[in-house]
Amino acid sequence: MTEIKNLTFFDKNKLKSLNSFVESGLDFSIFYPFPVDFFHRFLPFKLKFLNESYVALQDKKVKGLITVNKAETKRVKISRLLLDENSFEYGKLLVNCMVSLCVSGGAESFYVIADKTNTPLITMFIEGCGFKNSAHERVYKIDKKDIILESSDINFEHIRKITFSDTKPVENLINGVILSHALPSFYKKALTLKKKIILNHKQFVLYDKSRNLILGYFTLSKIKKSSYTLEFALAPKFEGYITDLLNYVKSRVIKNPDFETLYIKLKSYYINFNELKELLDFECNYLFTNAILTKDFLAVKKQDFAFEKMIFNDATPAF
């Protein structure tokens, strides 16, 4: 009989028997230590703020690992799913168990980002777990060797860190550039942005002081000692600011002596996706495309906005 349970301190050594965990190059430091994870486990869903991991055990051996985190007030991201080869039945058990557990706590929607070429995994989510293929993200990269900055010619007065007073305008900005049919799956709440400020997540805005208007928002996340991920949203007609945004980020990451690669992610559910894609295709090196799979139980209410309208291992924060 298969047992689905929280990953505990005593289970971590068992992960060595999971080939995909070993091959991924991960170590135990990615999991929160005892007793932090223990106490977080008993928090009600609305108060959870850390990643949580669960394992599928068969005859006391780990057959699969899943990690989830609350990406929004009632939205959950499946950020890691590790299985041994041809073990999709364990994957289906883990995903369906987590969906049921989170829904009972108040979750309303779920999403996962998976390699678009991994057909068996995507089939498992769609046919076995009731997800749908809602969108995709294009992933680009900029290597350290390709970064050339002339600091004397660069002015970043219109870029600054986000403040608490920015969170509502940023919420309107992001939701205003999301295609209407995708809003139930990807809407953003100001409360989530505020929590990220408290947790010291690196969030920035592009600000037009003369009009007192926020034109863009982006996050910069360190995923490894040498790698960063950039995710962003820009208001329609201001896509050209992507160049300033990239130069600003380059000027920050290059200061890290261990820096090697910057990854940029562009979501297809933005209304100005094609314009941004054209600019990034010119500015950066395209790597690959991921599928974004979703499962929703309720739709969001209509809002007013400021602008018109393997297996996998995704360690980046939700955006």
Side-chain angles (χ1 to χ4, degrees):
M1 179 177 178
T2 303
E3 178 186 7
I4 307 295
K5 57 173 289 189
N6 287 90
L7 176 68
T8 66
F9 174 81
F10 302 102
D11 293 322
K12 290 179 182 178
N13 276 331
K14 296 179 182 178
L15 291 175
K16 295 177 181 178
S17 66
L18 188 63
N19 291 335
S20 57
F21 180 84
V22 176
E23 292 169 358
S24 69
L26 298 172
D27 58 49
F28 301 140
S29 65
I30 65 172
F31 303 110
Y32 294 102
F34 179 87
V36 176
D37 59 346
F38 178 79
F39 289 113
H40 186 267
R41 186 186 315 165
F42 295 100
L43 289 176
F45 179 79
K46 65 180 181 180
L47 297 180
K48 289 184 181 293
F49 59 96
L50 299 176
N51 293 343
E52 290 190 322
S53 296
Y54 299 80
V55 289
L57 297 177
Q58 182 74 39
D59 299 326
K60 297 183 178 181
K61 292 184 178 180
V62 176
K63 297 296 185 179
L65 167 77
I66 190 170
T67 300
V68 299
N69 66 281
K70 192 171 70 172
E72 272 294 341
T73 308
K74 295 184 178 182
R75 185 189 307 134
V76 174
K77 178 183 181 182
I78 300 174
S79 57
R80 184 178 295 113
L81 179 63
L82 299 176
L83 307 168
D84 280 336
E85 187 176 1
N86 300 320
S87 297
F88 290 105
E89 283 303 312
Y90 293 109
K92 186 166 67 173
L93 283 172
L94 281 165
V95 172
N96 287 332
C97 180
M98 288 308 97
V99 168
S100 297
L101 181 64
C102 293
V103 166
S104 67
E108 294 180 351
S109 65
F110 301 80
Y111 79 100
V112 60
I113 299 175
D115 182 351
K116 190 176 182 180
T117 64
N118 195 334
T119 303
L121 179 68
I122 292 176
T123 300
M124 182 205 80
F125 271 102
I126 294 175
E127 297 183 2
C129 306
F131 282 65
K132 62 181 180 180
N133 198 338
S134 300
H136 64 272
E137 70 171 13
R138 286 176 66 85
V139 182
Y140 300 81
K141 77 168 183 173
I142 298 176
D143 292 322
K144 181 178 181 179
K145 62 181 177 59
D146 297 324
I147 295 179
I148 301 175
L149 294 176
E150 298 180 11
S151 56
S152 59
D153 297 329
I154 299 177
N155 186 324
F156 298 124
E157 291 181 353
H158 55 304
I159 298 178
R160 59 172 171 79
K161 284 190 175 182
I162 193 173
T163 65
F164 285 107
S165 62
D166 294 327
T167 54
K168 187 60 180 180
V170 169
E171 174 192 289
N172 290 338
L173 165 70
I174 296 173
N175 293 339
V177 297
I178 296 177
L179 294 166
S180 58
H181 71 270
L183 264 176
S185 300
F186 304 112
Y187 68 92
K188 184 68 66 176
K189 287 288 188 181
L191 179 60
T192 302
L193 302 170
K194 290 179 180 178
K195 288 179 179 178
K196 288 183 177 182
I197 294 175
I198 294 172
L199 294 173
N200 199 30
H201 287 205
K202 290 182 172 57
Q203 304 177 88
F204 304 86
V205 294
L206 286 85
Y207 180 67
D208 185 336
K209 188 175 181 179
S210 64
R211 289 182 286 179
N212 189 29
L213 187 65
I214 290 177
L215 306 176
Y217 163 82
F218 65 96
T219 62
L220 182 62
S221 308
K222 191 173 184 179
I223 54 175
K224 290 193 298 186
K225 186 177 180 180
S226 61
S227 303
Y228 292 80
T229 294
L230 170 67
E231 299 188 63
F232 64 94
L234 286 171
K237 301 180 182 178
F238 294 96
E239 291 84 5
Y241 276 105
I242 188 66
T243 300
D244 288 358
L245 190 158
L246 289 173
N247 283 332
Y248 178 79
V249 171
K250 290 175 188 177
S251 70
R252 290 183 63 94
V253 298
I254 202 69
K255 294 176 182 178
N256 177 2
D258 296 316
F259 166 71
E260 292 295 336
T261 307
L262 171 67
Y263 297 97
I264 302 98
K265 297 185 176 182
L266 174 62
K267 306 297 192 294
S268 69
Y269 50 73
Y270 291 149
I271 60 177
N272 52 358
F273 168 77
N274 288 328
E275 292 83 355
L276 291 168
K277 172 184 173 297
E278 183 177 348
L279 291 167
L280 284 177
D281 284 347
F282 177 77
E283 294 267 3
C284 314
N285 296 315
Y286 167 73
L287 281 183
F288 52 81
T289 297
N290 287 323
I292 304 178
L293 312 175
T294 63
K295 184 169 185 174
D296 300 303
F297 292 89
L298 291 174
V300 296
K301 297 178 181 179
K302 184 178 179 181
Q303 303 182 44
D304 294 322
F305 304 117
F307 297 95
E308 295 179 358
K309 307 244 165 199
M310 165 192 279
I311 310 292
F312 68 94
N313 175 38
D314 178 10
T316 63
F319 173 68

